[in-house]
Amino acid sequence: QITLKESGPTLVKPTQTLTLTCTFSQFSLSTNGVVLAWIRQPPGKALEWLALIYWNDDKRYSPSLESRLTITRDAPKNQVVLTMTNMDPVDTATYYCAHTKAGRFFDYWGQGTLVTVSS
Amino acid sequence: DIQMTQSPSSLSASVGDRVTITCRASQSISTYLNWYQQKPGKAPKLLIYAASSLQSGVPSRFSGSGSGTDFTLTISSLQPEDFATYYCQQSYNTLPYTFGQGTKLEIK
């Protein structure tokens, strides 16, 4: 059974950089066709796709946030890291990592981690 | 970006009812449309992918249809565990992937 779990700070100050880690099991990000995603959801609002990282280390970002996002992988550790710079209170959200099927839809999700941006 | 609009935004129904939720895309997305169910405090769960394919383990009372710009999610006979918020998501060839605003399904 594929599992994913997000970890990172629960509170960050405005202008700080957020670093989130997704630790996964029962698959390898080195396997052809595997793609992982980050998605967020502000409290009471809809889901927003943020980034993808592919088995071949290709990366894709949401255009509206691309200048602030970096997604990287540590394949031997089965981890993917998302960094978001210049955090703002509007970035307060639950951040999810998800396994994607063919990079198209999200078939396994982590439990999510709530990040609050406040001074 | 492709905009996804769901209707209704909220819906009250009773156990046993047949329910349909609609999702409309701002441009044609072929059948690159997926549906998720989310319960409070939980991660979304994939129900339907590619407009009409049922994800493994999802009850057959859930079905999806549509192509182009108009799509529907149907629950044939509502069960108590189906009361949740439902989201559509497009995965057409051009990023970003986008989600609808959600449809909250409540008990009447």
Side-chain angles (χ1 to χ4, degrees):
Chain A
Q1 173 74 351
I2 288 174
T3 64
L4 306 99
K5 187 173 184 179
E6 306 85 352
S7 58
T10 58
L11 179 66
V12 297
K13 290 180 167 50
T15 75
Q16 286 187 335
T17 294
L18 172 68
T19 300
L20 294 173
T21 300
C22 175
T23 304
F24 54 87
S25 64
Q26 300 304 311
F27 68 93
S28 172
L29 195 43
S30 300
T31 301
N32 196 350
V34 173
V35 186
L36 283 188
W38 283 95
I39 297 151
R40 71 178 179 179
Q41 184 174 37
K45 295 188 177 181
L47 299 156
E48 178 184 19
W49 169 75
L50 300 177
L52 295 174
I53 188 164
Y54 294 75
W55 74 95
N56 60 0
D57 209 32
D58 194 13
K59 299 159 189 178
R60 296 288 185 267
Y61 298 100
S62 171
S64 64
L65 293 167
E66 185 165 9
S67 63
R68 299 173 53 205
L69 293 174
T70 304
I71 190 170
T72 57
R73 65 178 189 168
D74 186 334
K77 288 186 177 179
N78 280 355
Q79 291 182 333
V80 168
V81 175
L82 181 76
T83 60
M84 180 180 289
T85 61
N86 195 25
M87 293 292 285
D88 183 272
V90 300
D91 296 313
T92 294
T94 296
Y95 287 76
Y96 295 100
C97 64
H99 176 277
T100 86
K101 196 74 170 179
R104 296 280 189 180
F105 51 88
F106 312 110
D107 55 354
Y108 294 93
W109 295 64
Q111 64 190 24
T113 186
L114 175 61
V115 178
T116 301
V117 184
S118 174
S119 55
Chain B
D1 298 2
I2 299 174
Q3 306 302 316
M4 306 301 294
T5 304
Q6 290 181 231
S7 60
S9 296
S10 64
L11 174 61
S12 294
S14 301
V15 172
D17 284 353
R18 180 183 180 88
V19 167
T20 297
I21 298 169
T22 298
C23 180
R24 175 164 288 176
S26 61
Q27 67 181 72
S28 178
I29 56 171
S30 183
T31 57
Y32 292 102
L33 191 283
N34 313 303
W35 289 98
Y36 301 86
Q37 176 194 67
Q38 187 178 33
K39 296 182 179 179
K42 300 294 186 182
K45 173 187 175 182
L46 178 67
L47 300 175
I48 301 285
Y49 62 93
S52 60
S53 296
L54 191 67
Q55 172 69 351
S56 175
V58 173
S60 59
R61 62 181 180 273
F62 291 92
S63 63
S65 65
S67 66
T69 60
D70 294 316
F71 302 86
T72 58
L73 172 71
T74 299
I75 309 172
S76 61
S77 178
L78 271 175
Q79 298 301 301
E81 60 267 30
D82 299 337
F83 293 95
T85 299
Y86 292 84
Y87 292 95
C88 62
Q89 174 241 334
Q90 65 81 15
S91 54
Y92 194 52
N93 297 327
T94 303
L95 295 172
Y97 294 153
T98 47
F99 292 84
Q101 82 278 15
T103 295
K104 187 173 184 179
L105 179 53
E106 298 175 305
I107 301 173
K108 184 182 285 184

